Amino acid sequence: MLQELKVKDVMSQTVITVPPTEDVVFAFEKLMKHKISSLPVVDDNEKLVGIVTATDLGHNLILDKYELGTTVGEVMVDKVFYVSPEENLANAVRKMHEYGSNEGIINQLVVLDNHEMVGILSDGDIIRSIKV
């Protein structure tokens, strides 16, 4: 089944992003409001420059690791893993595992088509696509 379905068939096409100048507190509020696990970080030209996750932001906010005024650009991960909309889900799952091998499994992949962000694929999207 995972080899038959393509990323474009199950990805979320509405991608909520954040600029690198956004305060981490507001970025975390955005994650909670929209019930999503990550925010791609885009610059003024809508170019993908990083990603922040609910886990990272929430953990560090709870531990009070951020100073007042800390921005997303200061804490984002700038190595963003991605997948093509034409790839099958088996490849996407493999990438989630491979890219996260040192730090655990990656829970989401940005979907890029010709260097343009067209969606985001989460582990939840994949799980929902599997019909039992």
Side-chain angles (χ1 to χ4, degrees), residues 41-130:
V41 182
V42 296
D43 64 15
D44 293 337
N45 298 319
E46 295 297 311
K47 180 182 178 238
L48 181 66
V49 295
I51 195 164
V52 291
T53 68
T55 302
D56 291 340
L57 290 182
H59 177 78
N60 288 314
L61 284 168
I62 289 170
L63 295 177
D64 204 23
K65 288 191 173 183
Y66 298 140
E67 295 181 18
L68 188 62
T70 300
T71 65
V72 167
E74 295 173 71
V75 301
M76 70 182 185
V77 174
D78 59 3
K79 185 173 183 181
V80 181
F81 297 109
Y82 63 91
V83 66
S84 160
E86 295 299 325
E87 287 186 60
N88 65 40
L89 290 186
N91 285 341
V93 169
R94 189 179 70 252
K95 285 183 177 184
M96 287 177 159
H97 182 321
E98 285 176 11
Y99 294 152
S101 61
N102 293 338
E103 302 163 12
I105 293 174
I106 302 248
N107 297 325
Q108 60 280 315
L109 294 167
V110 173
V111 183
L112 297 180
D113 190 14
N114 293 323
H115 305 291
E116 181 181 333
M117 188 170 25
V118 296
I120 194 159
L121 179 69
S122 71
D123 52 1
D125 295 327
I126 295 168
I127 292 167
R128 279 188 292 280
S129 73
I130 299 172

Side-chain angles (χ1 to χ4, degrees), residues 15-56:
V15 182
I16 298 166
T17 62
V18 64
T21 56
E22 184 86 16
D23 189 289
V24 292
V25 172
F26 298 129
F28 187 70
E29 286 177 351
K30 190 179 278 191
L31 286 161
M32 296 300 100
K33 175 184 175 188
H34 295 284
K35 298 178 181 167
I36 55 178
S37 60
S38 65
L39 290 168
V41 182
V42 296
D43 64 15
D44 293 337
N45 298 319
E46 295 297 311
K47 180 182 178 238
L48 181 66
V49 295
I51 195 164
V52 291
T53 68
T55 302
D56 291 340

